[in-house]
Amino acid sequence: ELLGQIRAMSDSQRSRVLEAIQHRIEEHTQVGPGPPSPARPSRMPPSTTPGPRDPHCLSASTGLRAFLFLVYGLILRECASSDLVRRHLMRLLELSHQTAGQREGMAVASGIASSSHLQEVWATLEHLGRTRVLRTACTSPDYQDNILETSFLSAAVMLVKALKQEHSTRRYRFTQIPELIQCLLAILQKEPNFLATLFRQKIILVIMELSKLRPSLKPAVKSRILQTCLQSLYMLPPMEMLKSCHCLSRQVLYQKSMQALDLLLQTFISENKSMDEMCFLLQHTEPWLKSDKSHECKRVVQTIFLLLKYVVDYVKLTDEATPSMLGHQIGLLMLLWRDRDPVTQSHSRQCIYLLLQLLIQQKGEPGFMHLNKMKNFEAKALRRSEMKFYNLVKVGALDRSLTPAQHTQLILTLLGGLCSHDHLQCDLASQLLLMIFQNQSIKVEQVAEILQGLFQELPSIVFKNILQTMMKAVTVLGTQHTQETVEVMLSLCHPSERQVLPLWKALANNNQLARKVLMLLYMKLKLRPPKELVRLSQQAELISLLALGTIYELLYTREYKATVRWAFAGILVGLLTQLHYLFELDVVEGISDYQEDSLEVKPLSPCRTCLEALKGLFWTTNYWEVFAYLQLLRGWELFEHLETYTEGVTLLARAMAHYDCEVKAVLGQAVISLKSSEERDNIVAILVITEFLNSQELTQYMSRRAMDNFLSLGLSSPNQLVRAMSLKGLTSILMDPKKVVLLRNQLAGLLDSFMGPEPQDLMGLMEILGDILHSLGTQGIGATSIRMAQHLLSLFEDEQAPVRGGAISLFGDVVHSGGKKYRPALKRQAFQALVPLLFHLVDSCPAVVMKTKLTFLRCAILLKWEFRKELFGKLAWGHGLGAENDIFIYMVESNFGSYHQFLMQALIYLGSPHKNLKRMAMKFIGRCAGCPPLPPSRGPSVSPGLSAADLEVLKKDSDSVSRRFYQNFLEDITELSKFVRQ
């Protein structure tokens, strides 16, 4: 009857009735039925409550109020005017929300009205939330605000209940949903960090129902929902710390809230049944999967497990999307396989099984039986060995189920786990990565991103054993994809920065792999575009320069020592041709201003890098004699200019031939280069080959006929130098043995002039004699070498510095030119020259000093001294008294028992007119004078050549050093002279 009367009214009548009911509700509120019902006990202010009321009055008052709200809602439902509905509903909602009865009544009225005026009710609630609820959520808590929020939530609950009962809801488009959800989220964010009510559950459930309406929520709105809801629940203290409510246990409150969250996630995936949506949901769990707090991690993994189980059991994903981030999320779950909480461990493993099952379902592949067996196996494996859980990785099930992009993201995520300060997690990540690499599941297109990811993580790895495991993984990866690995590592950073060096070292753990690496670097070194195709800005990015810098670093890397020795010939020819190429590009800046003894570390220029690599090749492979030969002759400086480059190559090849340094291998490389279409290759090749023709071992490696063919090939070269050097090679002793007799006859005639009483042009004669010695090469000059060495020794003290220097330099060649038959005699000549050479290390002429250093070292090598390499170091880089003392020690220690003969030779120099030589003799005698005398038979007979009168001269010398020496050592020298005369 009441409903009929309401329907019979006009809108104006309904408006008057609504105003009357509203006035009555206001009066009823002012009189008040009793104390206000708190919105949430946890926020009730500490005010006193009114006195007790008659329970019968309270009951009647409450019933009347409920009736008024019911009628209000019915009248609004029957109104035809939308404006009237909005106006009166807003007035109703603006009334006091203090009591629970009023809030419930308003919710009932709103719900009834929404059955006919859904859009209007919706808009009014959204306006209320935006203007009052949302505003209060951004300010400090207030009791009245809490009441308003509670009332708003009650209205929202009633609204969604009404919407659920209305079957036509799907036809509507509710554009205010995001704003209403934002109001609810604002309330949720104000919830205290403990559980006392079901507020969290109600808000999440309301949001869940709203998300089912049209239009679908945008990703940004979903993100806000997920972030807020997850934070509100996961950040709650552990269960034992949660405060209980008056009527509900904390466990029930927590479970109901978590169930609401589970339903929300299930709703999202049910509304959008795709793998993209699944990844979207899992993406928001990432901060909690990485949490250091065990209870947070445990909660999120359980949520994921329940969601995945729901999807596997009840949802069929409708598309075949393959989001790459799924691999990342799988990786995060795998990193929890060794979590200290057993529940987290178990759930994380089951999550992986469920995700794989989803992937298999999505692809339509039969794999459920296999996965189910593995799930059953997991429980047994827990009691046996942790390694059993790695079967998913070992058998490749994981690899086969993921796309390359997903697989890459999985690996990158595990790489991120290497940097944890939790050793268990780091070890797990490294072991999983090693297994993945060993499965040969990494494809070519993945190599770059994986290596770049590892390179970024390397500096942050804390534990040494983790780094070692990853280096094993790099070795495996390099074995599978050598070329791609090398190319990526070249691009990671400039070789001089050295951060990438551990990766290169890892590739050397396998001998065959290390050889492949150097071969690839050699091939990259040869990628040399012509100058006209290279822009100035691109020079630093040339792959050949990156390969050059890497080779330079690997020369000094212990792990590559044996491999560099194996690849010596290729590296040598590659560096020589690379230096010529850099001259062609005109990138010579910084090649000549390099200072070996500088402590300042500066990046080397390309040309300097190439030259230092060339030097380092000989030093690090222990061919230090070749290095020393050029160092002491300042031969490396010849490589600093294009004009003297060919002289440098010739001198280097001569030293290599002399010390039989990789002649066979380098000759083979040179022959290949001689056939090249590149002119620079031909130049290097012919210079090396023509010098090697003087090698003692060359005929063992190649026949004369084969050599003739190769040299003849050079005659047709368009390069004039190549043609000239080819012709020189064809006319060498090796190719024309008949020339030996002619050269020896010419040598005999020249020696007569050279050893005559008044030779003409000594310098010219010594230069010609040196050329003949070089041309005769392995044939040598026999007994003539002894006479020649003796005569040269007498020229060491010539007044003219060029003559002294020329004689000292030629002496070094002569003592090596007699062949095996005369080697003992030449060794004696070398022994006789030691003291003069030692003293001429301080010669007043720098050019003489330079030549003396080399000849002194060559004599030490011929006599097979100990500490020869150390001696070279002092000769090349030593300075001052310390270096002098070390050289003296090397000399005496290597000729133990002969230092008295050295001393008697030194006595002669006390009368030298050259101040430097005389002082050097004094220092030497001062070091030797205290040694006990030995019988003359222990060493060769040496005439002291110094009389008492000569010693008296020292007493009257104007030099104070000479006079002091006379006073200190006269007795020792006199005693030694008597001993020698016996």
Side-chain angles (χ1 to χ4, degrees):
E1 181 181 354
L2 176 63
L3 186 59
Q5 293 177 359
I6 293 173
R7 287 175 176 172
M9 295 180 185
S10 64
D11 274 0
S12 59
Q13 292 174 323
R14 294 184 185 117
S15 178
R16 288 195 294 272
V17 173
L18 288 171
E19 289 175 357
I21 294 175
Q22 180 182 345
H23 181 70
R24 185 64 182 272
I25 292 174
E26 287 177 346
E27 290 178 348
H28 181 76
T29 303
Q30 291 174 0
V31 173
S37 175
R40 281 162 278 180
S42 60
R43 293 184 180 177
M44 186 165 60
S47 59
T48 57
T49 59
R53 307 287 179 91
D54 183 357
H56 298 289
C57 293
L58 288 175
S59 175
S61 177
T62 302
L64 176 62
R65 182 177 57 190
F67 175 74
L68 292 174
F69 280 116
L70 175 64
V71 173
Y72 202 94
L74 290 172
I75 295 174
L76 286 176
R77 187 183 69 177
E78 300 301 325
C79 286
S81 171
S82 299
D83 290 339
L84 186 145
V85 172
R86 279 194 293 268
R87 185 171 67 255
H88 284 286
L89 183 59
M90 180 58 68
R91 288 178 180 176
L92 177 69
L93 294 177
E94 287 176 349
L95 295 177
S96 172
H97 295 248
Q98 186 172 1
T99 66
Q102 286 180 236
R103 295 193 294 271
E104 183 177 350
M106 292 177 185
V108 169
S110 301
I112 295 174
S114 66
S115 60
S116 296
H117 301 283
L118 186 59
Q119 292 284 4
E120 290 76 11
V121 174
W122 190 275
T124 304
L125 285 174
E126 186 273 332
H127 177 74
L128 176 67
R130 187 175 62 249
T131 56
R132 297 187 63 181
V133 177
L134 187 60
R135 184 180 66 249
T136 58
C138 301
T139 59
S140 58
D142 180 79
Y143 178 66
Q144 295 297 329
D145 292 336
N146 293 339
I147 293 175
L148 179 60
E149 291 167 6
T150 305
S151 179
F152 179 80
L153 177 60
S154 299
V157 170
M158 295 298 295
L159 177 62
V160 296
K161 284 182 179 179
L163 292 175
K164 287 177 64 176
Q165 296 173 0
E166 181 61 49
H167 299 293
S168 62
T169 302
R170 298 297 294 180
R171 296 198 304 267
Y172 290 95
R173 292 181 61 84
F174 300 94
T175 58
Q176 302 92 347
I177 291 178
E179 288 77 7
L180 183 56
I181 288 177
Q182 181 62 26
C183 296
L184 293 169
L185 293 178
I187 298 173
L188 184 60
Q189 286 176 318
K190 293 180 64 177
E191 280 295 287
N193 194 33
F194 57 86
L195 287 174
T197 68
L198 289 175
F199 231 62
R200 283 182 171 85
Q201 179 205 22
K202 289 182 179 180
I203 291 174
I204 295 173
L205 289 176
V206 169
I207 292 174
M208 178 196 73
E209 293 296 338
L210 292 176
S211 67
K212 297 178 182 178
L213 303 177
R214 295 176 62 235
S216 300
L217 298 179
K218 293 181 180 180
V221 177
K222 283 187 180 180
S223 286
R224 288 198 298 272
I225 294 171
L226 291 169
Q227 291 169 6
T228 306
C229 293
L230 295 181
Q231 182 175 355
S232 178
L233 291 177
Y234 292 159
M235 290 187 69
L236 288 171
M239 284 297 297
E240 59 272 12
M241 296 177 61
L242 293 175
K243 296 180 180 179
S244 62
C245 179
H246 296 293
C247 55
L248 294 175
S249 71
R250 59 192 178 192
Q251 289 86 358
V252 173
L253 287 171
Y254 175 76
Q255 290 171 1
K256 286 183 176 293
S257 299
M258 293 302 295
Q259 287 171 1
L261 176 63
D262 294 336
L263 290 173
L264 176 67
L265 297 176
Q266 292 171 14
T267 299
F268 282 166
I269 194 66
S270 298
E271 293 294 318
N272 183 6
K273 301 173 182 177
S274 68
M275 190 60 78
D276 282 332
E277 181 71 10
M278 176 60 71
C279 284
F280 176 79
L281 298 178
L282 294 179
Q283 179 182 348
H284 290 81
T285 65
E286 181 172 341
W288 313 104
L289 287 172
K290 294 180 177 180
S291 174
D292 295 330
K293 298 179 179 179
S294 178
H295 66 281
E296 292 180 355
C297 195
K298 180 178 180 180
R299 288 167 181 171
V300 68
V301 174
Q302 184 175 15
T303 299
I304 294 172
F305 166 70
L306 293 174
L307 173 63
L308 291 173
K309 194 171 186 307
Y310 169 80
V311 175
V312 169
D313 292 340
Y314 302 107
V315 179
K316 180 174 176 58
L317 301 182
T318 56
D319 65 357
E320 295 185 4
T322 55
S324 61
M325 286 307 294
L326 182 62
H328 172 65
Q329 289 144 4
I330 290 175
L332 291 175
L333 289 166
M334 291 176 72
L335 289 173
L336 297 174
W337 280 7
R338 283 191 191 170
D339 193 87
R340 290 176 173 81
D341 188 295
V343 176
T344 303
Q345 276 190 23
S346 177
H347 279 152
S348 65
R349 292 165 185 161
Q350 293 179 65
C351 285
I352 299 299
Y353 292 130
L354 291 170
L355 278 169
L356 288 181
Q357 193 165 342
L358 278 178
L359 290 170
I360 293 172
Q361 285 179 0
Q362 191 181 28
K363 294 180 179 180
E365 298 176 358
F368 305 115
M369 188 73 71
H370 175 70
L371 280 175
N372 286 332
K373 286 182 179 179
M374 294 196 73
K375 285 184 68 177
N376 295 331
F377 177 75
E378 180 200 5
K380 300 177 182 178
L382 181 61
R383 296 190 297 271
R384 296 178 187 172
S385 168
E386 182 191 62
M387 292 301 294
K388 299 291 185 181
F389 291 113
Y390 299 148
N391 276 280
L392 277 176
V393 181
K394 284 185 175 180
V395 301
L398 193 63
D399 302 330
R400 290 192 299 270
S401 302
L402 300 178
T403 65
Q406 291 170 339
H407 195 241
T408 301
Q409 288 301 317
L410 165 63
I411 294 173
L412 293 177
T413 304
L414 294 178
L415 288 173
L418 298 172
C419 305
S420 171
H421 287 268
D422 183 347
H423 187 270
L424 281 176
Q425 188 178 92
C426 292
D427 186 64
L428 171 65
S430 64
Q431 293 297 332
L432 289 172
L433 285 166
L434 182 59
M435 289 180 200
I436 292 172
F437 283 29
Q438 290 172 336
N439 279 343
Q440 299 187 1
S441 58
I442 297 175
K443 295 179 172 56
V444 172
E445 59 267 28
Q446 296 176 254
V447 174
E449 199 168 355
I450 290 172
L451 281 175
Q452 288 165 359
L454 175 59
F455 178 66
Q456 291 176 359
E457 304 295 346
L458 276 180
S460 303
I461 295 178
V462 179
F463 304 103
K464 185 177 181 181
N465 68 312
I466 305 302
L467 188 60
Q468 291 171 343
T469 303
M470 288 315 303
M471 293 306 101
K472 291 179 184 177
V474 172
T475 305
V476 173
L477 181 64
T479 304
Q480 297 168 7
H481 304 288
T482 310
Q483 181 172 343
E484 292 75 20
T485 300
V486 169
E487 289 175 352
V488 173
M489 286 168 58
L490 284 174
S491 67
L492 291 176
C493 70
H494 193 275
S496 63
E497 296 177 15
R498 296 195 174 186
Q499 291 97 325
V500 75
L501 195 57
L503 299 181
W504 289 111
K505 289 181 179 180
L507 298 183
N509 289 335
N510 180 307
N511 185 48
Q512 291 300 318
L513 176 59
R515 291 187 174 190
K516 288 182 181 179
V517 168
L518 279 185
M519 287 175 62
L520 285 168
L521 290 174
Y522 171 72
M523 293 170 64
K524 301 296 182 186
L525 191 66
K526 295 181 68 176
L527 297 177
R528 301 161 180 157
K531 180 179 180 179
E532 54 270 17
L533 298 181
V534 180
R535 296 178 181 175
L536 187 63
S537 59
Q538 295 175 331
Q539 287 178 354
E541 301 173 4
L542 287 176
I543 192 69
S544 65
L545 296 187
L546 296 175
L548 169 64
T550 303
I551 290 173
Y552 173 62
E553 295 296 334
L554 297 188
L555 290 176
Y556 294 93
T557 303
R558 177 179 54 83
E559 290 80 359
Y560 279 90
K561 186 175 182 179
T563 311
V564 168
R565 188 71 175 260
W566 170 80
F568 182 94
I571 296 175
L572 173 64
V573 175
L575 292 174
L576 288 173
T577 52
Q578 178 74 4
L579 185 57
H580 196 285
Y581 172 68
L582 294 173
F583 282 130
E584 295 171 20
L585 292 182
D586 197 27
V587 287
V588 296
E589 182 181 357
I591 190 172
S592 299
D593 57 2
Y594 177 73
Q595 296 179 350
E596 290 182 335
D597 56 352
S598 175
L599 296 177
E600 184 180 1
V601 179
K602 293 190 299 185
L604 299 179
S605 66
C607 264
R608 193 70 222 183
T609 300
C610 192
L611 180 51
E612 290 303 310
L614 186 62
K615 294 161 66 176
L617 177 63
F618 290 92
W619 186 259
T620 58
T621 53
N622 209 31
Y623 290 121
W624 65 270
E625 296 96 340
V626 178
F627 178 93
Y629 191 95
L630 269 76
Q631 182 72 22
L632 295 178
L633 283 180
R634 300 180 67 179
W636 296 118
E637 296 177 13
L638 298 173
F639 289 98
E640 295 180 1
H641 307 281
L642 182 59
E643 296 78 14
T644 56
Y645 170 84
T646 55
E647 296 178 46
V649 177
T650 299
L651 186 63
L652 179 61
R654 182 174 300 179
M656 292 177 65
H658 179 72
Y659 291 107
D660 191 25
C661 170
E662 298 284 347
V663 171
K664 179 181 179 181
V666 175
L667 180 64
Q669 284 290 329
V671 168
I672 295 172
S673 296
L674 194 60
K675 300 176 183 178
S676 170
S677 59
E678 294 288 347
E679 190 175 273
R680 72 179 77 90
D681 293 351
N682 302 154
I683 292 173
V684 170
I686 197 61
L687 290 172
V688 170
I689 289 173
T690 51
E691 280 300 320
F692 278 8
L693 292 174
N694 300 310
S695 172
Q696 299 178 2
E697 312 294 338
L698 190 66
T699 53
Q700 299 178 16
Y701 309 140
M702 190 174 293
S703 66
R704 283 191 178 89
R705 177 176 295 181
M707 185 57 68
D708 184 86
N709 292 335
F710 292 127
L711 291 172
S712 299
L713 181 65
L715 293 175
S716 59
S717 172
N719 184 275
Q720 182 181 355
L721 176 63
V722 175
R723 295 196 303 271
M725 295 304 295
S726 299
L727 183 60
K728 179 181 178 183
L730 288 168
T731 59
S732 65
I733 294 294
L734 181 66
M735 304 306 296
D736 188 5
K738 296 178 183 179
K739 293 180 67 175
V740 174
V741 177
L742 295 174
L743 286 173
R744 283 180 173 171
N745 291 336
Q746 184 182 8
L747 178 64
L750 289 171
L751 281 177
D752 291 338
S753 299
F754 180 62
M755 296 181 183
E758 294 182 2
Q760 300 294 320
D761 190 15
L762 271 177
M763 291 302 300
L765 282 172
M766 286 190 288
E767 184 177 351
I768 295 172
L769 289 171
D771 290 340
I772 294 175
L773 284 177
H774 179 62
S775 298
L776 286 170
T778 59
Q779 302 296 325
I781 58 176
T784 306
S785 60
I786 301 173
R787 291 174 45 224
M788 197 171 174
Q790 290 173 342
H791 186 70
L792 288 169
L793 190 57
S794 66
L795 295 176
F796 283 13
E797 311 308 324
D798 194 277
E799 291 296 323
Q800 297 183 30
V803 174
R804 294 199 304 273
I808 289 171
S809 179
L810 186 56
F811 183 86
D813 293 330
V814 170
V815 294
H816 287 86
S817 64
K820 292 183 179 179
K821 182 178 179 180
Y822 297 97
R823 188 168 296 166
L826 289 171
K827 283 187 175 181
R828 288 193 290 273
Q829 294 298 317
F831 180 84
Q832 295 283 356
L834 289 177
V835 170
L837 289 172
L838 178 67
F839 291 176
H840 279 285
L841 290 175
V842 295
D843 195 283
S844 58
C845 177
V848 174
V849 172
M850 181 185 72
K851 293 175 181 178
T852 301
K853 287 181 177 181
L854 178 60
T855 301
F856 188 77
L857 179 64
R858 294 182 73 181
C859 288
I861 293 173
L862 179 66
L863 296 171
K864 297 183 179 180
W865 284 10
E866 294 184 54
F867 312 112
R868 297 186 295 274
K869 191 173 183 179
E870 291 78 4
L871 171 64
F872 159 67
K874 296 301 177 181
L875 291 172
W877 301 295
H879 298 286
L881 292 175
E884 288 181 8
N885 188 61
D886 289 338
I887 293 171
F888 166 78
I889 291 174
Y890 297 147
M891 179 174 168
V892 173
E893 289 291 333
S894 300
N895 298 275
F896 187 74
S898 301
Y899 51 84
H900 287 83
Q901 284 77 16
F902 294 154
L903 192 148
M904 296 312 298
Q905 281 182 288
L907 290 174
I908 302 173
Y909 284 88
L910 293 178
S912 172
H914 299 287
K915 190 175 182 179
N916 288 354
L917 300 184
K918 185 165 64 173
R919 288 195 172 185
M920 187 65 173
M922 293 177 187
K923 290 179 183 178
F924 186 84
I925 293 169
R927 292 188 179 105
C928 293
C931 299
L934 293 172
S937 59
R938 295 295 299 272
S941 177
V942 181
S943 173
L946 189 70
S947 65
D950 295 324
L951 292 174
E952 288 295 324
V953 173
L954 291 175
K955 181 179 179 181
K956 301 176 181 179
D957 199 303
S958 59
D959 184 9
S960 60
V961 176
S962 299
R963 294 195 303 271
R964 189 163 57 251
F965 173 80
Y966 173 83
Q967 295 171 358
N968 293 336
F969 293 98
L970 176 61
E971 184 177 347
D972 292 330
I973 295 173
T974 304
E975 195 66 30
L976 181 60
S977 299
K978 292 178 182 178
F979 172 75
V980 173
R981 283 195 293 270
Q982 295 174 0

